[in-house]
Amino acid sequence: MPQLGETVAEGKITQWFKSAGDAVKPGDNLFEIETDKVSMEVPSTTAGVLAEIRVPAGEVAPVGAVVAVIADGTAASAAPAAETRSKPAPSSAAAPAARPAPMAAPVAAGEPAAAAPIKLDPFFEVRTPQRNYGPARLPGGRSVTPLARRLAAEGGIDLGTISPSGPHGRIVARDVEAAARAARKAAPRPAAAPGVALGSGPSAEDVKALYRDVPFQEVPLDGMRTTIATRLVQAKQTIPHFYLTADVEIGRLISLREDANAAAPKDSDGKPAFKLSLNDLIIKAWAAALQRVPAANAVWAQDRILRFQRSDVAVAVALEGGLITPVIRRAEVKTLSAISNEMKEMAARARARRLTPDEYQGGSSTISNLGMYGVREFSAIINPPQATVLAVGAARRQAVEKEDGGVAFASVLSVTLSCDHRVVDGALGAELLAAFQRFVERPVTMLV
């Protein structure tokens, strides 16, 4: 199972494109995996025969687990390691199989990994990593994935009481979640009037009891919705949010957009090389503001603050059943046309769940724009470990007072900056929002 980012501990194999015994060559897609964020196909990087599939479609495997074995063209199969599921012994009449290369031994968290055999595909055998994100060992020889360990720590669950269901006897996230549900169900509950939900976390059965006479459909949580729920609850419970709102005139920004689109070069078919949106210009202005106020271009890292020299701006993209935040790297130095084309391409792949982890992880700040839905203003929740998120509302025409005391109509939009008070104080947040306002109202200043 390939490493799909530092925060991804396991993946679900949704389908195999090859069967045991099929010949494969470099570039052939072998299987498709799904995590809480993306779905992607994994290709082979070597030629040979798919001798054995150890994790079938529909099962979850932790990062680093051996999911299949590719033998060279002369070998019909490879013997499974001691930890893998057993296979029937070959018939004595069958030709003897080539002796398989030794498997890499399981590695405890924090220990260096041993070198892996060179004949197996690197997607399927654990190689010597730069960093080890594999499962940690528990007393008694059992192992636990990093995500399961974190969930157990957050929920106060004793890992020693959990029965593992993951490959090779590992404790995975679903085991911890099942133990937490069982603990909640077994815990004594104070008496209450019938139909009254207790506390902030009533069980599913308690909630369903409130609507016993109302038709409803149960929608199980998928990985993305579970991750969103976990992270947002964590953000609201652990991050001291405060909010700053400002009205920004965008008349000059709209004029710049119209002039740029009119001047865009066209190809032989008459198609323009780019078409700027208002959101593209907002990304550029936010990147410039983070450069102007570098103390706010930072994230929270528990015992320290990390400040960045470049502006990597994450942009919220709505998906069916959730959202994802692809990151425009080095947005402060990119042209408006480059930002526009990159944003459109990444948004399309995000909706198809084809982003790679390095394309949506990280970022020093996030933009969430609901203006296209007619929302005037809103407050967004910070995406940890980031310290700021800019919520952008819909543009509107309203009367404003001119410098000479007269009244005129102007195009205005409201923006709300959510700040983590541990990183960004009130005055610093106000300075960042004011810098953004200046770049939007005088857009030529962010282009020089």
Side-chain angles (χ1 to χ4, degrees):
M1 179 63 63
Q3 177 68 56
L4 298 174
E6 297 188 10
T7 62
V8 179
E10 58 189 15
K12 178 181 180 181
I13 296 181
T14 55
Q15 65 173 314
W16 282 92
F17 302 112
K18 299 286 187 179
S19 301
D22 288 352
V24 297
K25 60 182 183 297
D28 286 354
N29 284 329
L30 294 169
F31 60 93
E32 182 181 59
I33 54 180
E34 181 182 75
T35 70
D36 57 0
K37 290 288 187 181
V38 296
S39 175
M40 65 180 293
E41 297 166 350
V42 177
S44 172
T45 60
T46 188
V49 175
L50 184 58
E52 179 185 355
I53 293 176
R54 296 184 178 174
V55 180
E59 290 195 11
V60 176
V63 167
V66 179
V67 300
V69 175
I70 293 180
D72 60 30
T74 62
S77 64
E83 283 192 324
T84 61
R85 52 178 64 86
S86 59
K87 290 283 184 178
S91 169
S92 59
R99 182 180 180 182
M103 301 290 288
V107 180
E111 296 180 3
I118 61 174
K119 286 197 173 185
L120 295 183
D121 191 306
F123 278 117
F124 301 105
E125 187 64 72
V126 179
R127 298 281 167 167
T128 304
Q130 295 299 316
R131 295 175 64 186
N132 182 13
Y133 301 106
R137 288 286 175 185
L138 294 175
R142 293 190 303 165
S143 60
V144 55
T145 64
L147 177 58
R149 180 177 290 275
R150 178 173 63 81
L151 292 176
E154 292 174 352
I157 304 298
D158 182 4
L159 290 170
T161 64
I162 295 178
S163 299
S165 67
H168 316 311
R170 291 189 177 98
I171 297 175
V172 295
R174 62 173 176 266
D175 300 327
V176 178
E177 292 167 351
R181 288 194 296 269
R184 287 194 299 268
K185 189 173 182 179
R189 305 177 65 86
V196 177
L198 300 174
S200 59
S203 69
E205 297 304 319
D206 290 336
V207 175
K208 289 163 61 176
L210 295 175
Y211 303 98
R212 63 173 66 91
D213 299 325
V214 181
F216 60 81
Q217 176 187 6
E218 292 190 34
V219 181
L221 297 182
D222 60 11
M224 174 174 285
R225 180 52 56 184
T226 300
T227 298
I228 290 173
T230 301
R231 289 180 64 84
L232 293 186
V233 170
Q234 176 192 13
K236 290 298 287 185
Q237 289 180 341
T238 63
I239 297 177
H241 286 65
F242 72 91
Y243 309 95
L244 303 170
T245 300
D247 290 333
V248 183
E249 292 189 29
I250 59 171
R252 292 182 180 179
L253 203 66
I254 293 175
S255 296
L256 173 62
R257 171 178 172 268
E258 293 173 347
D259 291 345
N261 286 338
K266 297 178 174 58
D267 59 21
S268 57
D269 297 329
K271 183 179 179 180
F274 60 84
K275 185 176 182 181
L276 301 182
S277 69
L278 189 61
N279 200 53
D280 299 329
L281 280 80
I282 289 173
I283 294 171
K284 182 68 175 182
W286 190 239
L290 291 170
Q291 291 294 302
R292 182 62 58 88
V293 189
N297 189 22
V299 299
W300 176 255
Q302 298 304 325
D303 62 344
R304 66 203 67 191
I305 293 171
L306 307 183
R307 290 181 178 171
F308 305 107
Q309 296 182 349
R310 68 189 202 190
S311 298
D312 292 344
V313 179
V315 183
V317 174
L319 310 176
E320 182 179 356
L323 59 87
I324 198 169
T325 53
V327 181
I328 305 296
R329 310 284 178 182
R330 299 182 180 273
E332 78 279 6
V333 299
K334 290 182 176 176
T335 63
L336 288 169
S337 59
I339 291 174
S340 179
N341 290 335
E342 183 177 346
M343 190 66 239
K344 288 182 175 65
E345 190 268 340
M346 293 183 76
R349 288 195 293 115
R351 295 187 179 99
R353 301 201 178 191
R354 286 294 183 265
L355 290 180
T356 58
D358 61 299
E359 291 176 314
Y360 63 78
Q361 291 179 349
S364 53
S365 185
T366 295
I367 293 174
S368 181
N369 190 342
L370 293 179
M372 66 287 293
Y373 298 103
V375 176
R376 177 173 178 177
E377 65 178 79
F378 67 103
S379 300
I381 300 174
I382 296 170
N383 183 24
Q386 295 177 8
T388 56
V389 55
L390 184 71
V392 181
R396 62 188 185 276
R397 296 283 292 177
Q398 74 176 38
V400 297
E401 183 181 359
K402 298 193 298 183
E403 294 181 358
D404 61 4
V407 176
F409 280 88
S411 295
V412 177
L413 60 79
S414 295
V415 293
T416 299
L417 176 62
S418 303
C419 300
D420 182 345
H421 215 319
R422 298 171 300 180
V423 180
V424 179
D425 294 324
L428 184 60
E431 184 181 355
L432 177 62
L433 195 57
F436 172 76
Q437 183 175 12
R438 288 192 296 270
F439 283 125
V440 168
E441 295 183 346
R442 294 176 176 81
V444 68
T445 59
M446 68 181 177
L447 304 177
V448 296

